[in-house]
Amino acid sequence: MSATIALVDVNNFYVSAERLFDPRLDGRPVVVLSNNDGCVVARSQEAKALGIPMGEPWFRLRALAHRHGVVARSSNYALYADLSNRVMEVLAQFAPVQDIYSIDECFLDLTGLGEAPAETGRRIRQRIARWLGLPVSVGIASSMTLAKLAAHVAKRQPGREGVCDFGAMAQAEWQALLQGIDADEVWGVGPRLAAGLRERGVHTVWQLRAMRTEGMRQGSGVALERIVRELRGEACFCLTDVVAPRQQIISSRSFGREVTGLDELEQAISSYMARAAHKLRSQGSVASTVQVFLRTDPHRVRAPQHAPSMRIGLLRPSADTLLLVRTALAGVRQLWRAGFAYRKAGVVLSDLQPAGQTQADLFADTGREASRAQLMQTLDRINARMGSGTLRLASEGIDPAWRMRRGNVSPAYTTRWEELARVR
């Protein structure tokens, strides 16, 4: 029996999240901006219709925004992450195997569940809309690549009402559909590969599917061969309900303004490392190496430039926020130089391994380590219950002026008691 894979995609996720608690945005052109309110990273359909491209700097769009009433929102990562978690929890009720691909996309294995796959897709849409108020599209096919393509069709063809099941289509309809879709819409076909395909006369998905795979691996690599086979319905990628731990954790942000003083850099590094340490514990890992880096603004070509970094090895792998912050601060104190205006800083945790599989140390203070582990668990529990940042290190600062600009950020709504939506 062939597999039945569904890809559930939240439509215009960031914009939909912003509209969820602010109905005044419905029907209006809305964009969500990147860190420091720099570039467009999400657009509503109305904004797309105005020709606003992804990645366009916001300052270039201000005149157009004024003419057409475009609403800009700063990225609200706490809100998006919480709503994403809620979506994934609901989707887990529909299938025994779930593979979360991104913050707004999730694969489900519907193989052998009995119900018609398209009906399951409709129930998914209804439940997400009723319970969470978010619109989703559902693509269904026999492989992950085809399912993602089906979701693309479901989202862009209103007559399908948000659900597209390739397996239920007649061959002639399916062929006509794939002949009308550009090959670069296929999952895994990036700009470079798309350009190479065009040189070979391959412009549509149907043409890509028809390519000969004999010898393709030697000439074009295994990735293209897998894409072609997946388009033919052969499952080359497998769903798994186990997410592999990250091999490296990076926490970095651009500052809201240039930073020259060591004290503010220490606050930033403390904040970034606290966030990275929490992610480290969340996946049950410990780190053996800490890296710290600083960056001035490379676009200010006449200003003096400084972009140092430092790697520091730990005596014992750890996920202890206090130890990791202390190590990172020792690094930034060596890297900082007076007279430079820094625009970005960050930390990297690497050489990760499972927390329970580290080599024992005969001279380690096991009692103290156990006490610190309990302290970290308490810290995580309180912040999970009361909201991220409820408890934090004093070295992170009280109200840092260096934080990234978010002049149009919406309330957290679902993760802070003081920002809950009010209903009149």
Side-chain angles (χ1 to χ4, degrees), residues 145 148-149 152 156 178-198 202-209 211 224 227 231:
T145 301
K148 209 165 188 315
L149 190 63
H152 167 84
R156 286 161 177 77
L178 298 192
Q179 287 173 338
I181 303 176
D182 292 339
D184 57 8
E185 295 290 351
V186 174
W187 184 33
V189 178
R192 180 178 299 179
L193 180 54
L197 290 172
R198 286 193 293 271
V202 176
H203 300 277
T204 69
V205 176
W206 186 256
Q207 292 173 328
L208 177 58
R209 180 183 181 275
M211 291 182 70
L224 180 58
I227 290 171
L231 289 175

Side-chain angles (χ1 to χ4, degrees), residues 13-221:
F13 178 52
Y14 287 5
V15 172
S16 296
E18 294 292 341
R19 284 174 165 171
L20 182 59
F21 293 98
D22 191 353
R24 295 172 299 176
L25 300 180
D26 290 346
R28 298 187 62 182
V30 180
V31 298
V32 177
L33 306 177
S34 63
N35 293 345
N36 292 310
D37 294 342
C39 301
V40 174
V41 295
R43 304 161 294 166
S44 67
Q45 290 301 124
E46 297 81 2
K48 294 176 184 178
L50 292 175
I52 296 176
M54 285 286 283
E56 185 74 4
W58 174 240
F59 74 87
R60 294 180 181 171
L61 297 170
R62 292 188 185 278
L64 182 146
H66 180 73
R67 289 197 306 271
H68 297 281
V70 178
V71 178
R73 287 283 186 264
S74 305
S75 294
N76 189 338
Y77 300 116
L79 176 64
Y80 307 153
D82 184 66
L83 290 177
S84 174
N85 290 337
R86 294 173 188 234
V87 169
M88 302 311 166
E89 288 177 2
V90 173
L91 293 179
Q93 303 170 12
F94 286 90
V97 179
Q98 175 187 35
D99 193 342
I100 299 173
Y101 176 64
S102 67
I103 193 171
D104 61 346
E105 293 178 289
C106 175
F107 289 100
L108 299 174
D109 189 349
L110 306 182
T111 307
L113 296 186
E115 183 179 49
E119 181 58 31
T120 302
R122 285 187 282 271
R123 288 201 300 116
I124 287 173
R125 277 177 49 83
Q126 291 167 2
R127 187 171 300 179
I128 295 294
R130 184 181 301 121
W131 290 10
L132 300 177
L134 295 171
V136 302
S137 297
V138 184
I140 303 166
S142 55
S143 71
M144 295 175 72
T145 301
L146 281 175
K148 209 165 188 315
L149 190 63
H152 167 84
V153 174
K155 184 183 295 186
R156 286 161 177 77
Q157 295 187 358
R160 300 188 183 276
E161 298 182 340
V163 178
C164 178
D165 182 3
F166 280 168
M169 284 187 184
Q171 178 69 18
E173 179 189 3
W174 188 54
Q175 178 176 340
L177 185 65
L178 298 192
Q179 287 173 338
I181 303 176
D182 292 339
D184 57 8
E185 295 290 351
V186 174
W187 184 33
V189 178
R192 180 178 299 179
L193 180 54
L197 290 172
R198 286 193 293 271
E199 291 177 359
R200 298 162 72 171
V202 176
H203 300 277
T204 69
V205 176
W206 186 256
Q207 292 173 328
L208 177 58
R209 180 183 181 275
M211 291 182 70
R212 294 182 58 184
T213 57
E214 293 79 4
M216 182 179 288
R217 187 170 301 190
Q218 289 74 25
S220 304

Side-chain angles (χ1 to χ4, degrees), residues 105-349:
E105 293 178 289
C106 175
F107 289 100
L108 299 174
D109 189 349
L110 306 182
T111 307
L113 296 186
E115 183 179 49
E119 181 58 31
T120 302
R122 285 187 282 271
R123 288 201 300 116
I124 287 173
R125 277 177 49 83
Q126 291 167 2
R127 187 171 300 179
I128 295 294
R130 184 181 301 121
W131 290 10
L132 300 177
L134 295 171
V136 302
S137 297
V138 184
I140 303 166
S142 55
S143 71
M144 295 175 72
T145 301
L146 281 175
K148 209 165 188 315
L149 190 63
H152 167 84
V153 174
K155 184 183 295 186
R156 286 161 177 77
Q157 295 187 358
R160 300 188 183 276
E161 298 182 340
V163 178
C164 178
D165 182 3
F166 280 168
M169 284 187 184
Q171 178 69 18
E173 179 189 3
W174 188 54
Q175 178 176 340
L177 185 65
L178 298 192
Q179 287 173 338
I181 303 176
D182 292 339
D184 57 8
E185 295 290 351
V186 174
W187 184 33
V189 178
R192 180 178 299 179
L193 180 54
L197 290 172
R198 286 193 293 271
E199 291 177 359
R200 298 162 72 171
V202 176
H203 300 277
T204 69
V205 176
W206 186 256
Q207 292 173 328
L208 177 58
R209 180 183 181 275
M211 291 182 70
R212 294 182 58 184
T213 57
E214 293 79 4
M216 182 179 288
R217 187 170 301 190
Q218 289 74 25
S220 304
V222 68
L224 180 58
E225 180 187 338
R226 287 178 176 172
I227 290 171
V228 172
R229 290 172 58 193
E230 284 253 326
L231 289 175
R232 294 174 181 171
E234 303 175 37
C236 299
F237 307 113
C238 299
L239 273 71
T240 174
D241 53 0
V242 179
V243 179
R246 283 178 270 191
Q247 299 303 306
Q248 187 181 69
I249 293 177
I250 302 174
S251 182
S252 172
R253 289 284 188 276
S254 296
F255 302 135
R257 59 169 175 75
E258 292 179 333
V259 171
T260 57
L262 176 59
D263 55 342
E264 289 188 308
L265 285 177
E266 289 178 336
Q267 291 178 9
I269 291 297
S270 295
S271 178
Y272 300 159
M273 182 55 81
R275 187 180 297 115
H278 172 68
K279 293 179 181 178
L280 187 66
R281 291 191 296 273
S282 297
Q283 72 172 37
S285 298
V286 290
S288 300
T289 304
V290 171
Q291 180 179 351
V292 184
F293 64 87
L294 307 175
R295 299 284 186 274
T296 51
D297 189 346
H299 301 292
R300 294 189 59 192
V301 293
R302 296 184 180 180
Q305 300 294 315
H306 192 221
S309 68
M310 174 182 291
R311 289 171 59 91
I312 306 170
L314 302 177
L315 293 177
R316 279 176 55 78
S318 177
D320 183 338
T321 297
L322 301 179
L323 171 64
L324 295 173
V325 167
R326 186 166 63 247
T327 303
L329 288 179
V332 75
R333 288 163 188 157
Q334 294 186 55
L335 296 177
W336 173 78
R337 295 289 183 273
F340 290 99
Y342 296 99
R343 200 57 194 257
K344 185 176 184 178
V347 298
V348 183
L349 295 176

